[in-house]
Amino acid sequence: MSHEDDAPPPPPRPSPFARLKHWHATLSLANRLGLYALVLTAIGVLAPVAAAVWTATTGPEVGLLVDQDNNGCTSVWTVPDRSAELVDDIIANKDNRQLARWERDGRITHRGSVKAQVGVHSAEAPIEVRDLTITVLSRTDPVTGEQSRAQGCGGEPDDGDEPDFVVVDLDTLPIGTDVPIGYLQGSDQQAQARAEADLLGEQITLPRTVGAQDFYSFTLVGRSAGHDTEWRATVTWWDGEQVHTDVLDNDGAPFRVTGPLPIRED
């Protein structure tokens, strides 16, 4: 018997569904929303497909997409000493999925700010997005290590409309308390965060009605100047009869950002 007969069989090819799921995961939020819009305007027999492509569905009235931005062109990272070998790889790496894996494994941490893009889709009837709250889950000393920034990828500027922005200074918020958007938009401690939102685009305005089969998107930015902070957000919406709440996080894990410097106590 030859040694070739003892060789293990080749791994099976991914199924068509697995390949479709992999392709879908690589799309940006904007491209996903464009895809869903095309599907929703197709003939009625495609309606089940439209429902299936949403990565997170809260029920028949609304779909949510939450996409943490691990963009290899613009993200700034703190790389702890135990992961020092990744510094050069981050600079050269343009694969957002690899950066996301390193981030989820704790090998690199968003530095200064972390961004998530949120998409809301209404199904057969309009809904009203009523509130957004921010909750700081934990706060510890900042991660120490080298700063690494992926190189900008260039390309043509996006001439499309910018989504609404929510920018939050996490260091000023109490731990374990749901802080509503109304407080954030009126607090003196959040004035610099609101100014940044104004520079980026338009500040979010709630409540907001999302028409039947329509989309609404906004960008959520959490900043920390001096702590390693884990946090999440919660969106509250109304379907005309009941009020619903859904958690916005990093695919089941908290958003995480570390400050570059410790906060100085006066």
mmCIF file of all heavy atoms in Angstrom, residues 84-129:
data_model
loop_
_atom_site.group_PDB
_atom_site.id
_atom_site.type_symbol
_atom_site.label_atom_id
_atom_site.label_comp_id
_atom_site.label_asym_id
_atom_site.label_seq_id
_atom_site.Cartn_x
_atom_site.Cartn_y
_atom_site.Cartn_z
ATOM 1 N N ALA A 84 3.418 42.490 20.658
ATOM 2 C CA ALA A 84 4.276 43.442 19.958
ATOM 3 C C ALA A 84 4.581 43.019 18.529
ATOM 4 O O ALA A 84 4.807 43.873 17.655
ATOM 5 C CB ALA A 84 5.581 43.631 20.737
ATOM 6 N N GLU A 85 4.563 41.708 18.263
ATOM 7 C CA GLU A 85 4.888 41.239 16.910
ATOM 8 C C GLU A 85 3.833 41.648 15.890
ATOM 9 O O GLU A 85 4.059 41.541 14.677
ATOM 10 C CB GLU A 85 5.045 39.708 16.908
ATOM 11 C CG GLU A 85 3.746 38.908 17.006
ATOM 12 C CD GLU A 85 3.229 38.777 18.435
ATOM 13 O OE1 GLU A 85 3.844 39.367 19.345
ATOM 14 O OE2 GLU A 85 2.218 38.068 18.627
ATOM 15 N N LEU A 86 2.677 42.125 16.362
ATOM 16 C CA LEU A 86 1.606 42.490 15.444
ATOM 17 C C LEU A 86 1.723 43.913 14.926
ATOM 18 O O LEU A 86 0.999 44.288 14.003
ATOM 19 C CB LEU A 86 0.239 42.337 16.134
ATOM 20 C CG LEU A 86 -0.156 40.939 16.579
ATOM 21 C CD1 LEU A 86 -1.549 40.972 17.208
ATOM 22 C CD2 LEU A 86 -0.123 39.960 15.423
ATOM 23 N N VAL A 87 2.616 44.716 15.503
ATOM 24 C CA VAL A 87 2.665 46.130 15.131
ATOM 25 C C VAL A 87 2.883 46.293 13.636
ATOM 26 O O VAL A 87 2.132 47.013 12.952
ATOM 27 C CB VAL A 87 3.767 46.857 15.927
ATOM 28 C CG1 VAL A 87 3.947 48.275 15.385
ATOM 29 C CG2 VAL A 87 3.418 46.897 17.405
ATOM 30 N N ASP A 88 3.892 45.639 13.093
ATOM 31 C CA ASP A 88 4.152 45.763 11.662
ATOM 32 C C ASP A 88 3.033 45.144 10.839
ATOM 33 O O ASP A 88 2.700 45.643 9.752
ATOM 34 C CB ASP A 88 5.489 45.111 11.303
ATOM 35 C CG ASP A 88 6.685 45.865 11.885
ATOM 36 O OD1 ASP A 88 6.523 47.073 12.171
ATOM 37 O OD2 ASP A 88 7.746 45.255 12.056
ATOM 38 N N ASP A 89 2.446 44.062 11.340
ATOM 39 C CA ASP A 89 1.358 43.416 10.600
ATOM 40 C C ASP A 89 0.146 44.329 10.500
ATOM 41 O O ASP A 89 -0.543 44.350 9.478
ATOM 42 C CB ASP A 89 0.946 42.106 11.293
ATOM 43 C CG ASP A 89 2.012 41.034 11.200
ATOM 44 O OD1 ASP A 89 2.847 41.131 10.266
ATOM 45 O OD2 ASP A 89 2.028 40.124 12.035
ATOM 46 N N ILE A 90 -0.147 45.092 11.556
ATOM 47 C CA ILE A 90 -1.290 45.998 11.521
ATOM 48 C C ILE A 90 -1.078 47.068 10.460
ATOM 49 O O ILE A 90 -1.987 47.402 9.697
ATOM 50 C CB ILE A 90 -1.505 46.647 12.902
ATOM 51 C CG1 ILE A 90 -1.977 45.586 13.908
ATOM 52 C CG2 ILE A 90 -2.511 47.785 12.818
ATOM 53 C CD1 ILE A 90 -2.038 46.090 15.329
ATOM 54 N N ILE A 91 0.116 47.607 10.399
ATOM 55 C CA ILE A 91 0.401 48.665 9.433
ATOM 56 C C ILE A 91 0.203 48.172 8.010
ATOM 57 O O ILE A 91 -0.328 48.880 7.153
ATOM 58 C CB ILE A 91 1.839 49.193 9.627
ATOM 59 C CG1 ILE A 91 1.949 49.889 10.989
ATOM 60 C CG2 ILE A 91 2.229 50.139 8.495
ATOM 61 C CD1 ILE A 91 3.350 50.327 11.337
ATOM 62 N N ALA A 92 0.578 46.904 7.772
ATOM 63 C CA ALA A 92 0.470 46.363 6.418
ATOM 64 C C ALA A 92 -0.876 45.719 6.136
ATOM 65 O O ALA A 92 -1.202 45.448 4.978
ATOM 66 C CB ALA A 92 1.579 45.324 6.199
ATOM 67 N N ASN A 93 -1.659 45.471 7.157
ATOM 68 C CA ASN A 93 -2.855 44.653 7.002
ATOM 69 C C ASN A 93 -4.037 45.484 6.522
ATOM 70 O O ASN A 93 -4.360 46.515 7.085
ATOM 71 C CB ASN A 93 -3.207 43.971 8.328
ATOM 72 C CG ASN A 93 -4.112 42.774 8.119
ATOM 73 O OD1 ASN A 93 -5.249 42.920 7.727
ATOM 74 N ND2 ASN A 93 -3.573 41.598 8.370
ATOM 75 N N LYS A 94 -4.697 45.010 5.477
ATOM 76 C CA LYS A 94 -5.909 45.665 4.971
ATOM 77 C C LYS A 94 -7.125 44.765 5.133
ATOM 78 O O LYS A 94 -8.190 45.064 4.617
ATOM 79 C CB LYS A 94 -5.734 46.017 3.493
ATOM 80 C CG LYS A 94 -4.574 46.969 3.215
ATOM 81 C CD LYS A 94 -4.774 48.314 3.894
ATOM 82 C CE LYS A 94 -3.717 49.312 3.498
ATOM 83 N NZ LYS A 94 -2.387 48.985 3.999
ATOM 84 N N ASP A 95 -6.958 43.629 5.828
ATOM 85 C CA ASP A 95 -8.061 42.689 6.014
ATOM 86 C C ASP A 95 -8.777 43.016 7.319
ATOM 87 O O ASP A 95 -8.293 42.709 8.399
ATOM 88 C CB ASP A 95 -7.520 41.250 6.041
ATOM 89 C CG ASP A 95 -8.632 40.209 6.095
ATOM 90 O OD1 ASP A 95 -9.792 40.596 6.333
ATOM 91 O OD2 ASP A 95 -8.333 39.018 5.903
ATOM 92 N N ASN A 96 -9.937 43.665 7.215
ATOM 93 C CA ASN A 96 -10.666 44.065 8.412
ATOM 94 C C ASN A 96 -11.066 42.881 9.271
ATOM 95 O O ASN A 96 -11.175 42.997 10.495
ATOM 96 C CB ASN A 96 -11.921 44.855 8.017
ATOM 97 C CG ASN A 96 -11.593 46.154 7.321
ATOM 98 O OD1 ASN A 96 -10.433 46.534 7.192
ATOM 99 N ND2 ASN A 96 -12.621 46.840 6.859
ATOM 100 N N ARG A 97 -11.296 41.729 8.644
ATOM 101 C CA ARG A 97 -11.706 40.546 9.411
ATOM 102 C C ARG A 97 -10.582 40.076 10.328
ATOM 103 O O ARG A 97 -10.819 39.652 11.449
ATOM 104 C CB ARG A 97 -12.136 39.433 8.467
ATOM 105 C CG ARG A 97 -13.413 39.748 7.683
ATOM 106 C CD ARG A 97 -13.600 38.797 6.542
ATOM 107 N NE ARG A 97 -12.497 38.908 5.581
ATOM 108 C CZ ARG A 97 -12.353 38.112 4.529
ATOM 109 N NH1 ARG A 97 -13.225 37.155 4.305
ATOM 110 N NH2 ARG A 97 -11.342 38.279 3.701
ATOM 111 N N GLN A 98 -9.313 40.140 9.842
ATOM 112 C CA GLN A 98 -8.190 39.747 10.682
ATOM 113 C C GLN A 98 -8.023 40.717 11.844
ATOM 114 O O GLN A 98 -7.799 40.307 12.994
ATOM 115 C CB GLN A 98 -6.901 39.700 9.862
ATOM 116 C CG GLN A 98 -5.655 39.313 10.658
ATOM 117 C CD GLN A 98 -5.752 37.915 11.237
ATOM 118 O OE1 GLN A 98 -5.640 36.939 10.512
ATOM 119 N NE2 GLN A 98 -5.964 37.804 12.541
ATOM 120 N N LEU A 99 -8.157 42.001 11.577
ATOM 121 C CA LEU A 99 -8.077 42.989 12.647
ATOM 122 C C LEU A 99 -9.188 42.770 13.670
ATOM 123 O O LEU A 99 -8.972 42.896 14.875
ATOM 124 C CB LEU A 99 -8.162 44.401 12.066
ATOM 125 C CG LEU A 99 -6.985 44.820 11.167
ATOM 126 C CD1 LEU A 99 -7.291 46.144 10.482
ATOM 127 C CD2 LEU A 99 -5.683 44.907 11.945
ATOM 128 N N ALA A 100 -10.390 42.423 13.189
ATOM 129 C CA ALA A 100 -11.502 42.156 14.105
ATOM 130 C C ALA A 100 -11.213 40.950 14.986
ATOM 131 O O ALA A 100 -11.543 40.943 16.175
ATOM 132 C CB ALA A 100 -12.792 41.948 13.321
ATOM 133 N N ARG A 101 -10.598 39.916 14.421
ATOM 134 C CA ARG A 101 -10.255 38.722 15.230
ATOM 135 C C ARG A 101 -9.239 39.075 16.296
ATOM 136 O O ARG A 101 -9.357 38.650 17.448
ATOM 137 C CB ARG A 101 -9.736 37.611 14.319
ATOM 138 C CG ARG A 101 -10.824 36.913 13.509
ATOM 139 C CD ARG A 101 -10.297 35.657 12.854
ATOM 140 N NE ARG A 101 -9.373 35.948 11.781
ATOM 141 C CZ ARG A 101 -9.731 36.114 10.506
ATOM 142 N NH1 ARG A 101 -11.009 36.021 10.165
ATOM 143 N NH2 ARG A 101 -8.824 36.359 9.567
ATOM 144 N N TRP A 102 -8.213 39.846 15.928
ATOM 145 C CA TRP A 102 -7.217 40.246 16.923
ATOM 146 C C TRP A 102 -7.862 41.093 18.013
ATOM 147 O O TRP A 102 -7.533 40.959 19.190
ATOM 148 C CB TRP A 102 -6.089 41.025 16.245
ATOM 149 C CG TRP A 102 -5.176 40.177 15.396
ATOM 150 C CD1 TRP A 102 -4.980 38.830 15.491
ATOM 151 C CD2 TRP A 102 -4.344 40.630 14.323
ATOM 152 N NE1 TRP A 102 -4.078 38.407 14.548
ATOM 153 C CE2 TRP A 102 -3.664 39.496 13.817
ATOM 154 C CE3 TRP A 102 -4.104 41.865 13.751
ATOM 155 C CZ2 TRP A 102 -2.750 39.579 12.753
ATOM 156 C CZ3 TRP A 102 -3.207 41.952 12.697
ATOM 157 C CH2 TRP A 102 -2.534 40.827 12.210
ATOM 158 N N GLU A 103 -8.782 41.970 17.603
ATOM 159 C CA GLU A 103 -9.454 42.807 18.591
ATOM 160 C C GLU A 103 -10.318 41.977 19.525
ATOM 161 O O GLU A 103 -10.303 42.167 20.748
ATOM 162 C CB GLU A 103 -10.298 43.858 17.855
ATOM 163 C CG GLU A 103 -10.836 44.966 18.738
ATOM 164 C CD GLU A 103 -12.205 44.660 19.305
ATOM 165 O OE1 GLU A 103 -12.877 43.752 18.763
ATOM 166 O OE2 GLU A 103 -12.613 45.307 20.279
ATOM 167 N N ARG A 104 -11.055 41.020 18.987
ATOM 168 C CA ARG A 104 -11.918 40.185 19.823
ATOM 169 C C ARG A 104 -11.108 39.298 20.761
ATOM 170 O O ARG A 104 -11.548 38.967 21.867
ATOM 171 C CB ARG A 104 -12.823 39.311 18.941
ATOM 172 C CG ARG A 104 -13.921 40.064 18.223
ATOM 173 C CD ARG A 104 -14.929 40.661 19.183
ATOM 174 N NE ARG A 104 -15.654 39.653 19.933
ATOM 175 C CZ ARG A 104 -16.796 39.119 19.583
ATOM 176 N NH1 ARG A 104 -17.376 39.508 18.444
ATOM 177 N NH2 ARG A 104 -17.401 38.233 20.340
ATOM 178 N N ASP A 105 -9.893 38.923 20.356
ATOM 179 C CA ASP A 105 -9.018 38.095 21.194
ATOM 180 C C ASP A 105 -8.234 38.909 22.216
ATOM 181 O O ASP A 105 -7.455 38.350 22.989
ATOM 182 C CB ASP A 105 -8.032 37.303 20.323
ATOM 183 C CG ASP A 105 -8.723 36.226 19.498
ATOM 184 O OD1 ASP A 105 -9.861 35.860 19.846
ATOM 185 O OD2 ASP A 105 -8.132 35.768 18.505
ATOM 186 N N GLY A 106 -8.400 40.231 22.212
ATOM 187 C CA GLY A 106 -7.688 41.088 23.153
ATOM 188 C C GLY A 106 -6.244 41.335 22.795
ATOM 189 O O GLY A 106 -5.484 41.847 23.625
ATOM 190 N N ARG A 107 -5.841 41.015 21.582
ATOM 191 C CA ARG A 107 -4.447 41.213 21.185
ATOM 192 C C ARG A 107 -4.183 42.654 20.770
ATOM 193 O O ARG A 107 -3.032 43.119 20.807
ATOM 194 C CB ARG A 107 -4.077 40.256 20.053
ATOM 195 C CG ARG A 107 -4.286 38.785 20.401
ATOM 196 C CD ARG A 107 -3.732 37.867 19.344
ATOM 197 N NE ARG A 107 -2.274 37.926 19.313
ATOM 198 C CZ ARG A 107 -1.530 37.345 18.368
ATOM 199 N NH1 ARG A 107 -2.122 36.702 17.378
ATOM 200 N NH2 ARG A 107 -0.214 37.429 18.403
ATOM 201 N N ILE A 108 -5.210 43.362 20.355
ATOM 202 C CA ILE A 108 -5.133 44.787 20.061
ATOM 203 C C ILE A 108 -6.425 45.427 20.578
ATOM 204 O O ILE A 108 -7.448 44.751 20.707
ATOM 205 C CB ILE A 108 -4.948 45.080 18.554
ATOM 206 C CG1 ILE A 108 -6.129 44.505 17.748
ATOM 207 C CG2 ILE A 108 -3.631 44.526 18.058
ATOM 208 C CD1 ILE A 108 -6.063 44.794 16.255
ATOM 209 N N THR A 109 -6.375 46.728 20.895
ATOM 210 C CA THR A 109 -7.535 47.413 21.451
ATOM 211 C C THR A 109 -7.685 48.771 20.772
ATOM 212 O O THR A 109 -6.694 49.480 20.566
ATOM 213 C CB THR A 109 -7.376 47.624 22.968
ATOM 214 O OG1 THR A 109 -7.120 46.369 23.596
ATOM 215 C CG2 THR A 109 -8.632 48.238 23.566
ATOM 216 N N HIS A 110 -8.910 49.116 20.423
ATOM 217 C CA HIS A 110 -9.141 50.452 19.850
ATOM 218 C C HIS A 110 -8.623 51.508 20.815
ATOM 219 O O HIS A 110 -8.867 51.455 22.014
ATOM 220 C CB HIS A 110 -10.630 50.666 19.592
ATOM 221 C CG HIS A 110 -11.108 50.006 18.331
ATOM 222 N ND1 HIS A 110 -10.949 50.564 17.091
ATOM 223 C CD2 HIS A 110 -11.739 48.820 18.136
ATOM 224 C CE1 HIS A 110 -11.463 49.770 16.180
ATOM 225 N NE2 HIS A 110 -11.954 48.695 16.783
ATOM 226 N N ARG A 111 -7.937 52.492 20.273
ATOM 227 C CA ARG A 111 -7.256 53.504 21.081
ATOM 228 C C ARG A 111 -7.927 54.861 20.894
ATOM 229 O O ARG A 111 -8.059 55.355 19.766
ATOM 230 C CB ARG A 111 -5.780 53.590 20.667
ATOM 231 C CG ARG A 111 -4.916 54.586 21.448
ATOM 232 C CD ARG A 111 -3.519 54.620 20.826
ATOM 233 N NE ARG A 111 -2.621 55.513 21.525
ATOM 234 C CZ ARG A 111 -1.708 55.127 22.430
ATOM 235 N NH1 ARG A 111 -1.602 53.840 22.742
ATOM 236 N NH2 ARG A 111 -0.912 55.991 23.004
ATOM 237 N N GLY A 112 -8.392 55.429 21.998
ATOM 238 C CA GLY A 112 -8.971 56.767 21.943
ATOM 239 C C GLY A 112 -10.442 56.772 21.619
ATOM 240 O O GLY A 112 -11.229 57.464 22.282
ATOM 241 N N SER A 113 -10.851 56.034 20.596
ATOM 242 C CA SER A 113 -12.264 55.982 20.231
ATOM 243 C C SER A 113 -12.546 54.683 19.491
ATOM 244 O O SER A 113 -11.653 54.085 18.884
ATOM 245 C CB SER A 113 -12.663 57.185 19.367
ATOM 246 O OG SER A 113 -12.020 57.135 18.108
ATOM 247 N N VAL A 114 -13.793 54.261 19.556
ATOM 248 C CA VAL A 114 -14.263 53.107 18.787
ATOM 249 C C VAL A 114 -15.587 53.505 18.161
ATOM 250 O O VAL A 114 -16.405 54.197 18.775
ATOM 251 C CB VAL A 114 -14.399 51.846 19.664
ATOM 252 C CG1 VAL A 114 -15.404 52.035 20.790
ATOM 253 C CG2 VAL A 114 -14.758 50.626 18.826
ATOM 254 N N LYS A 115 -15.789 53.071 16.933
ATOM 255 C CA LYS A 115 -16.941 53.497 16.147
ATOM 256 C C LYS A 115 -17.762 52.284 15.730
ATOM 257 O O LYS A 115 -17.211 51.228 15.420
ATOM 258 C CB LYS A 115 -16.455 54.247 14.912
ATOM 259 C CG LYS A 115 -17.539 54.769 13.989
ATOM 260 C CD LYS A 115 -16.941 55.322 12.693
ATOM 261 C CE LYS A 115 -15.976 56.450 12.944
ATOM 262 N NZ LYS A 115 -15.446 56.995 11.665
ATOM 263 N N ALA A 116 -19.071 52.444 15.731
ATOM 264 C CA ALA A 116 -19.971 51.401 15.227
ATOM 265 C C ALA A 116 -21.026 52.046 14.339
ATOM 266 O O ALA A 116 -21.553 53.116 14.674
ATOM 267 C CB ALA A 116 -20.638 50.642 16.368
ATOM 268 N N GLN A 117 -21.322 51.408 13.239
ATOM 269 C CA GLN A 117 -22.365 51.875 12.336
ATOM 270 C C GLN A 117 -23.622 51.058 12.600
ATOM 271 O O GLN A 117 -23.572 49.834 12.676
ATOM 272 C CB GLN A 117 -21.906 51.741 10.889
ATOM 273 C CG GLN A 117 -20.755 52.671 10.571
ATOM 274 C CD GLN A 117 -19.860 52.167 9.448
ATOM 275 O OE1 GLN A 117 -19.838 50.985 9.137
ATOM 276 N NE2 GLN A 117 -19.108 53.067 8.861
ATOM 277 N N VAL A 118 -24.735 51.744 12.744
ATOM 278 C CA VAL A 118 -26.002 51.112 13.097
ATOM 279 C C VAL A 118 -27.001 51.377 11.987
ATOM 280 O O VAL A 118 -27.180 52.521 11.557
ATOM 281 C CB VAL A 118 -26.547 51.651 14.434
ATOM 282 C CG1 VAL A 118 -27.860 50.956 14.794
ATOM 283 C CG2 VAL A 118 -25.515 51.466 15.547
ATOM 284 N N GLY A 119 -27.648 50.310 11.515
ATOM 285 C CA GLY A 119 -28.689 50.432 10.514
ATOM 286 C C GLY A 119 -30.003 49.894 11.047
ATOM 287 O O GLY A 119 -30.035 48.834 11.668
ATOM 288 N N VAL A 120 -31.075 50.630 10.833
ATOM 289 C CA VAL A 120 -32.416 50.239 11.272
ATOM 290 C C VAL A 120 -33.288 50.123 10.033
ATOM 291 O O VAL A 120 -33.335 51.047 9.210
ATOM 292 C CB VAL A 120 -33.020 51.279 12.242
ATOM 293 C CG1 VAL A 120 -34.404 50.831 12.708
ATOM 294 C CG2 VAL A 120 -32.098 51.513 13.435
ATOM 295 N N HIS A 121 -33.966 48.991 9.892
ATOM 296 C CA HIS A 121 -34.857 48.779 8.759
ATOM 297 C C HIS A 121 -36.254 48.463 9.261
ATOM 298 O O HIS A 121 -36.442 47.558 10.080
ATOM 299 C CB HIS A 121 -34.361 47.613 7.896
ATOM 300 C CG HIS A 121 -35.391 47.076 6.951
ATOM 301 N ND1 HIS A 121 -35.896 45.804 7.046
ATOM 302 C CD2 HIS A 121 -36.026 47.664 5.907
ATOM 303 C CE1 HIS A 121 -36.799 45.609 6.103
ATOM 304 N NE2 HIS A 121 -36.892 46.721 5.397
ATOM 305 N N SER A 122 -37.237 49.204 8.787
ATOM 306 C CA SER A 122 -38.630 48.931 9.126
ATOM 307 C C SER A 122 -39.232 48.027 8.063
ATOM 308 O O SER A 122 -38.941 48.176 6.872
ATOM 309 C CB SER A 122 -39.421 50.235 9.204
ATOM 310 O OG SER A 122 -40.786 49.974 9.468
ATOM 311 N N ALA A 123 -40.080 47.098 8.479
ATOM 312 C CA ALA A 123 -40.655 46.131 7.553
ATOM 313 C C ALA A 123 -41.959 46.655 6.969
ATOM 314 O O ALA A 123 -41.972 47.638 6.247
ATOM 315 C CB ALA A 123 -40.850 44.787 8.250
ATOM 316 N N GLU A 124 -43.068 46.036 7.300
ATOM 317 C CA GLU A 124 -44.322 46.338 6.626
ATOM 318 C C GLU A 124 -45.020 47.592 7.142
ATOM 319 O O GLU A 124 -45.915 48.118 6.483
ATOM 320 C CB GLU A 124 -45.278 45.141 6.761
ATOM 321 C CG GLU A 124 -44.753 43.869 6.118
ATOM 322 C CD GLU A 124 -44.439 44.063 4.638
ATOM 323 O OE1 GLU A 124 -45.214 44.763 3.966
ATOM 324 O OE2 GLU A 124 -43.415 43.532 4.179
ATOM 325 N N ALA A 125 -44.650 48.057 8.311
ATOM 326 C CA ALA A 125 -45.303 49.234 8.894
ATOM 327 C C ALA A 125 -44.243 50.177 9.441
ATOM 328 O O ALA A 125 -43.147 49.750 9.801
ATOM 329 C CB ALA A 125 -46.271 48.820 10.008
ATOM 330 N N PRO A 126 -44.528 51.476 9.509
ATOM 331 C CA PRO A 126 -43.555 52.408 10.082
ATOM 332 C C PRO A 126 -43.329 52.137 11.566
ATOM 333 O O PRO A 126 -44.200 51.602 12.254
ATOM 334 C CB PRO A 126 -44.196 53.783 9.855
ATOM 335 C CG PRO A 126 -45.644 53.518 9.663
ATOM 336 C CD PRO A 126 -45.761 52.155 9.055
ATOM 337 N N ILE A 127 -42.129 52.478 12.023
ATOM 338 C CA ILE A 127 -41.796 52.388 13.437
ATOM 339 C C ILE A 127 -41.264 53.742 13.885
ATOM 340 O O ILE A 127 -40.926 54.595 13.061
ATOM 341 C CB ILE A 127 -40.743 51.294 13.727
ATOM 342 C CG1 ILE A 127 -39.413 51.653 13.043
ATOM 343 C CG2 ILE A 127 -41.248 49.928 13.322
ATOM 344 C CD1 ILE A 127 -38.252 50.801 13.499
ATOM 345 N N GLU A 128 -41.183 53.935 15.188
ATOM 346 C CA GLU A 128 -40.633 55.158 15.743
ATOM 347 C C GLU A 128 -39.458 54.805 16.640
ATOM 348 O O GLU A 128 -39.613 54.081 17.622
ATOM 349 C CB GLU A 128 -41.683 55.910 16.548
ATOM 350 C CG GLU A 128 -41.186 57.245 17.087
ATOM 351 C CD GLU A 128 -42.246 57.967 17.896
ATOM 352 O OE1 GLU A 128 -42.551 57.508 19.021
ATOM 353 O OE2 GLU A 128 -42.767 58.985 17.401
ATOM 354 N N VAL A 129 -38.267 55.277 16.277
ATOM 355 C CA VAL A 129 -37.092 55.123 17.130
ATOM 356 C C VAL A 129 -37.173 56.207 18.192
ATOM 357 O O VAL A 129 -37.099 57.405 17.881
ATOM 358 C CB VAL A 129 -35.788 55.234 16.320
ATOM 359 C CG1 VAL A 129 -34.579 55.049 17.241
ATOM 360 C CG2 VAL A 129 -35.763 54.212 15.189
#
